Amino acid sequence: QVQLVESGGGLVQPGGSLRLSCLGSGSIFKFYAMAWYRQAPGTEREWVATIISDGRTNYADSVKGRFTISGDNAKNTVYLQMNSLKPEDTAVYYCNTVLYGKNYWGQGTQVTVSS
């Protein structure tokens, strides 16, 4: 029905940058509103950013000014550009969308910020 596949995670030093991608597909997939969440070990999953198909975006205070969410409707892809990364940004990052009242998640991609 809906598949979300994240990519782009990795190990980066503090102050560095990474760009995550999430490709959506499936018989009922459509790019309406897509979001990024993250989950660090021993913590609950937390919302990071959302983009609506008309271009509106919203960010968690913890990433505002450092992260940028963008999307390519034609490619069914959403991106998360992460700059000025901090050790506390270390987490598994998940792509999310809600369609017809159901939550869909990707498998996650690990981001580790460490020197």
Side-chain angles (χ1 to χ4, degrees):
Q1 294 184 341
V2 174
Q3 292 82 42
L4 301 174
V5 179
E6 302 98 335
S7 60
L11 173 64
V12 63
Q13 292 187 342
S17 298
L18 280 176
R19 189 175 86 151
L20 307 183
S21 300
C22 172
L23 172 64
S25 64
S27 59
I28 63 170
F29 177 82
K30 62 178 180 178
F31 192 123
Y32 173 64
M34 297 186 73
W36 287 96
Y37 286 73
R38 66 186 182 185
Q39 188 168 19
T43 69
E44 293 189 354
R45 194 170 296 188
E46 66 171 353
W47 168 73
V48 174
T50 296
I51 185 167
I52 309 298
S53 56
D54 62 4
R56 286 177 291 158
T57 59
N58 201 8
Y59 298 92
D61 287 344
S62 58
V63 306
K64 201 171 293 184
R66 300 188 298 122
F67 290 11
T68 301
I69 189 170
S70 61
D72 186 330
N73 293 28
K75 295 182 178 180
N76 289 340
T77 300
V78 63
Y79 305 97
L80 186 68
Q81 177 66 43
M82 305 184 295
N83 298 328
S84 303
L85 282 162
K86 305 175 181 179
E88 51 263 43
D89 294 318
T90 295
V92 178
Y93 283 71
Y94 297 91
C95 183
N96 167 268
T97 193
V98 180
L99 291 171
Y100 307 109
K102 184 175 179 180
N103 254 310
Y104 293 93
W105 297 94
Q107 82 287 352
T109 185
Q110 176 71 46
V111 172
T112 301
V113 184
S114 175
S115 55

